[in-house]
Amino acid sequence: MQLRSRYHRLGCALALRFLALVPWGIPRARALDNGLAMTPTMGWLHWERFMCNLDCQEEPDSCISEQLFMQMAELMVSDGWKDAGYEYLCIDDCWMAPQRDSEGRLQADLQRFPGGIHRLANYVHSKGLKLGIYADVGNKTCAGFPGSFGYYDVDAQTFADWGVDLLKFDGCYCDSIKHLADGYKYMSLALNRTGRSIVYSCEWPLYMSPLKKPNYEEIRHYCNHWRSFADISDSWQSVKSILDWTSAHQDRIVGVAGPGGWNDPDMLVIGNFGLSWDQQVTQMALWAIMAAPLLMSNDLRNISPQAKALLQDKDVIAINQDPLGKQGYQLRKVSNFEVWERPLLDLAWAVAVINQQESGGPRSYTISIASLGRGVACNPACHITQLLPVKRELGFYEWTSMLKIRINPTGTVLLRIEDRSQTSKSLL
Ligand code: GLA
């Protein structure tokens, strides 16, 4: 990111009103660089698994309440999630009371969050984690709670005062494309002005694209990550549609991603109900290739050891978090195999091959090593490790060799290619 661009004059009356009141209020000023999300954000977000469950009488363990987040915070620490890198515990929609307080500030529903968000943030911080929250650029959140339109500065300051570390800013109920764009920009600058480090997660291109082509360069100047595609659900069809959208638009979106600003294909649904084991492997592998934020939406109190091991796989997370920060892309699609690759630090590459054929059994695919990594991944030779579905050293390969792999239907084989010849040369 980010936030480096010159401020464009906001057109909406609301913003002008604030600018009149606040003389240092930014026209032409350079916004601060928030220095966050230098690698994709990792954490947990309640939406896909817990949605807008308000019924704490009937379902005390799965309603949106401080108890849910406190339990998740404890497990994130005790069960190795924090050590694996999952740091942000994020609240989505439905945390608010239906009305603002007498001073116009957002407030949590006090039945479900008796200690309020400030106390929850303190608790989350005491565990060494960070807290994310949710609001909306328009008049209401998608679930109908108070929106931030008209209150951007107040809400940014409230979140900072509470000790919030990430804001997911949704785009429902915005009455014009201009308000949408101006609101997303204004909130970015308002968060910066609070002086608190707050990761800014946007859905600006998702809401903009039916009306106007998003300008991703501009979006990157204001947001740490941004959603472009519909909400994920717990199904293979949903995961597949996200991959299809991403490859179809890769010429526009891949180059824009990098340290500080990432394309967000939405939450990891690994550990829930809808994906087979192979499909969970595919989601993890491809979210690593896409340099996607890794925000799990699952129940950490009840997750299989296999899903946990996949989500905590250090080698796969290392690809996702690679410091070079380059997003991968689909290299080719042939007879229902998709080959994706991603350049990594120190001339390494990650390669994922998906078997998209949904009938039959495992199928073999033969890769010409010379075709990988723009012809240089393995020149003149390299070492290849299979990371998923299970870790296996495949050994040394020459540029001219072929590699045969076998992949289950809707599954993925994820490889890491290291140019050991470069390493040995530099040691000489
Ligand atoms: C939108 C967002 C989702 C979630 C819901 C909450 O649909 O895209 O990720 O935040 O709103 O209402």
Side-chain angles (χ1 to χ4, degrees), residues 216 228-229 240-250 253:
Y216 284 100
S228 292
F229 192 68
K240 185 176 177 328
S241 67
I242 292 170
L243 295 176
D244 289 346
W245 186 89
T246 303
S247 55
H249 294 82
Q250 61 185 9
I253 64 169

Side-chain angles (χ1 to χ4, degrees), residues 47 92-93 134 142-143 168 170 203 207 227 231 267:
W47 186 254
D92 207 287
D93 204 348
Y134 167 101
C142 297
K168 172 173 172 176
D170 212 337
E203 298 197 37
Y207 288 90
R227 290 257 316 274
D231 293 4
M267 293 158 268

Side-chain angles (χ1 to χ4, degrees), residues 142-256:
C142 297
F145 291 88
S148 293
F149 186 76
Y151 295 90
Y152 298 139
D153 284 297
V154 176
D155 292 353
Q157 194 56 53
T158 303
F159 298 146
D161 292 345
W162 286 344
V164 162
D165 306 292
L166 178 148
L167 173 65
K168 172 173 172 176
F169 209 37
D170 212 337
C172 277
Y173 297 105
C174 200
D175 56 12
S176 73
I177 194 164
K178 181 159 178 47
H179 283 177
L180 184 83
D182 289 349
Y184 270 106
K185 292 182 206 172
Y186 196 96
M187 192 52 149
S188 174
L189 296 161
L191 290 171
N192 254 11
R193 281 199 301 271
T194 68
R196 186 171 174 85
S197 291
I198 300 177
V199 172
Y200 186 42
S201 167
C202 301
E203 298 197 37
W204 178 0
L206 170 61
Y207 288 90
M208 178 149 205
S209 51
L211 304 162
K212 199 177 160 202
K213 245 184 168 181
N215 176 346
Y216 284 100
E217 289 293 344
E218 183 182 38
I219 289 167
R220 182 187 160 80
H221 286 145
Y222 292 95
C223 301
N224 289 117
H225 24 100
W226 50 87
R227 290 257 316 274
S228 292
F229 192 68
D231 293 4
I232 199 164
S233 62
D234 188 13
S235 74
W236 173 242
Q237 189 199 12
S238 169
V239 171
K240 185 176 177 328
S241 67
I242 292 170
L243 295 176
D244 289 346
W245 186 89
T246 303
S247 55
H249 294 82
Q250 61 185 9
D251 291 350
R252 284 180 53 211
I253 64 169
V254 166
V256 152

